């Protein structure tokens, strides 16, 4: 049976595709107030502004391409059972060819109803005030905001429990519950963390740090796993 690699990704894996991270210098949260654009309270206060924020992000993502870190992760499926759990709302893992991707924080290329969470629609265009679901309520981006439930969490926990190897890429590990997933690994699971800034992880875990950007770091990881660098 193939070994299972579970990969937790954050904004850093898409940085080399030209998509801004959140908390680095020049990151998205430097120019925007989190509460204004990523919380139910912000939405209640100014829906047009929130829609604009995500309309811009959607355009940026549609015009970006997967980078070599994304494609290396996709090719890893030739040797391992790979499951990706991403905090990213972009579709770059899927476009690179990864087949098992869980989006913990939602997907920018989907819209959803504000009165019925189960009404979710594929959506590549702008969402504007007055765009409604089939029940007549305003559409919003299919994004998990701060203070909201994380519906994909239970599934992500189950996936993490089965990891033989956990790879973490490009996340500051400050947003919960995503950062808590590491707690669910079995004893003996190897952990590799690719990030140029070595985010803090409890000393309880035996982590092999690869202090590099995602693209270069993935090459190092493949070498460590004795896989030919693509
Ligand atoms: P952050 O912006 O908090 O962290 C980005 C991480 O990527 C940092 O640790 C950087 O060192 C690292 N990084 C930067 N460039 C990199 C590169 N080229 N290669 C590899 N790593 C690089 O982003 P996240 O941890 O993903 O949620 O943020 C988590 C959540 O906070 C996001 O999903 C978003 C945000 O608020 C919501 O909006 C709900």
């Amino acid at each position: 049976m193939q070994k299972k690699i579970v990969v937790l990704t954050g904004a850093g894996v898409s940085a080399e595709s030209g998509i801004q991270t959140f908390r680095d210098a020049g990151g998205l949260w430097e120019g925007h107030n989190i509460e204004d654009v990523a919380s139910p309270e912000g939405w209640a206060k100014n829906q047009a502004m929130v829609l604009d924020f995500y309309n811009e992000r959607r355009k940026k993502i549609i015009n970006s391409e997967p980078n070599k870190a994304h494609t290396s992760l996709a090719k890893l499926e030739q040797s391992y059972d790979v499951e990706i759990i991403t905090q990213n709302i972009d579709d770059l893992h899927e476009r690179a060819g990864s087949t098992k991707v869980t989006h913990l924080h939602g997907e920018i290329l989907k819209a959803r109803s504000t009165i019925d969470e189960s009404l979710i629609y594929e959506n590549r265009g702008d969402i504007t005030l007055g765009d409604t679901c089939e029940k007549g309520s305003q559409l919003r981006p299919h994004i998990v905001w701060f203070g909201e439930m994380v519906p994909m969490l239970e599934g992500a926990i189950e996936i993490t429990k089965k990891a033989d190897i956990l790879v973490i890429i490009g996340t500051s590990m400050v947003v919960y519950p995503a950062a808590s997933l590491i707690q669910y690994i079995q004893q003996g699971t190897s952990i590799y963390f690719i990030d140029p800034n070595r985010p803090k992880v409890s000393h309880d875990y035996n982590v092999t740090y690869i202090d590099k950007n995602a693209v270069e770091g993935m090459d190092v990881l493949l070498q460590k796993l004795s896989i030919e660098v693509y």
Side-chain angles (χ1 to χ4, degrees):
M1 215 171 70
Q2 278 182 323
K3 278 196 170 181
K4 191 177 194 72
I5 298 194
V6 175
V7 188
L8 173 65
T9 63
V13 79
S14 296
E16 287 159 279
S17 292
I19 298 174
Q20 273 175 297
T21 61
F22 296 95
R23 296 175 182 78
D24 289 302
L28 265 177
W29 293 155
E30 222 172 65
H32 300 272
N33 189 337
I34 300 190
E35 286 75 31
D36 287 345
V37 296
S39 77
E41 293 75 20
W43 174 247
K45 222 181 337 175
N46 193 340
Q47 296 188 352
M49 191 183 78
V50 175
L51 290 173
D52 273 355
F53 175 75
Y54 291 100
N55 287 341
E56 285 314 305
R57 299 199 57 209
R58 187 181 303 103
K59 282 192 201 108
K60 175 75 192 158
I61 285 167
I62 287 174
N63 290 319
S64 302
E65 297 294 333
N67 63 52
K68 197 158 167 273
H70 296 106
T71 52
S72 293
L73 285 169
K75 286 182 181 158
L76 205 52
E77 292 190 16
Q78 290 167 7
S79 319
Y80 289 89
D81 172 17
V82 181
E83 295 236 27
I84 296 180
I85 301 168
T86 187
Q87 297 167 81
N88 299 344
I89 60 174
D90 66 51
D91 64 339
L92 297 183
H93 286 305
E94 287 92 339
R95 275 199 262 155
S98 285
T99 58
K100 291 190 255 179
V101 185
T102 298
H103 286 269
L104 270 185
H105 294 162
E107 294 170 75
I108 190 74
L109 297 181
K110 292 183 178 167
R112 81 163 184 253
S113 160
T114 39
I115 51 163
D116 182 347
E117 281 189 14
S118 70
L119 294 177
I120 298 167
Y121 308 90
E122 302 290 329
N123 176 70
R124 298 180 67 82
D126 284 356
I127 305 176
T128 52
L129 282 181
D131 290 343
T132 55
C133 74
E134 66 220 54
K135 291 187 176 170
S137 81
Q138 175 64 43
L139 286 176
R140 58 168 272 185
H142 182 48
I143 307 285
V144 176
W145 287 326
F146 287 94
E148 293 187 318
M149 300 288 285
V150 182
M152 304 307 278
L153 182 64
E154 283 306 313
I157 290 173
E158 290 313 309
I159 292 167
T160 309
K161 281 180 182 169
K162 297 193 191 111
D164 295 301
I165 300 172
L166 176 68
V167 177
I168 309 176
I169 310 176
T171 172
S172 55
M173 297 290 272
V174 298
V175 173
Y176 285 80
S180 68
L181 282 173
I182 193 171
Q183 294 169 13
Y184 294 94
I185 58 168
Q186 311 266 358
Q187 235 185 354
T189 301
S190 329
I191 306 176
Y192 296 93
F193 201 141
I194 303 172
D195 194 302
N197 295 313
R198 208 179 265 221
K200 273 214 177 63
V201 170
S202 156
H203 292 303
D204 297 346
Y205 303 104
N206 185 9
V207 179
T208 303
Y209 286 98
I210 301 173
D211 301 316
K212 294 188 181 302
N213 285 347
V215 168
E216 215 187 325
M218 272 306 296
D219 283 351
V220 175
L221 178 73
L222 295 181
Q223 280 159 4
K224 283 185 188 290
L225 298 176
S226 304
I227 295 178
E228 214 176 297
V229 174
Y230 302 109

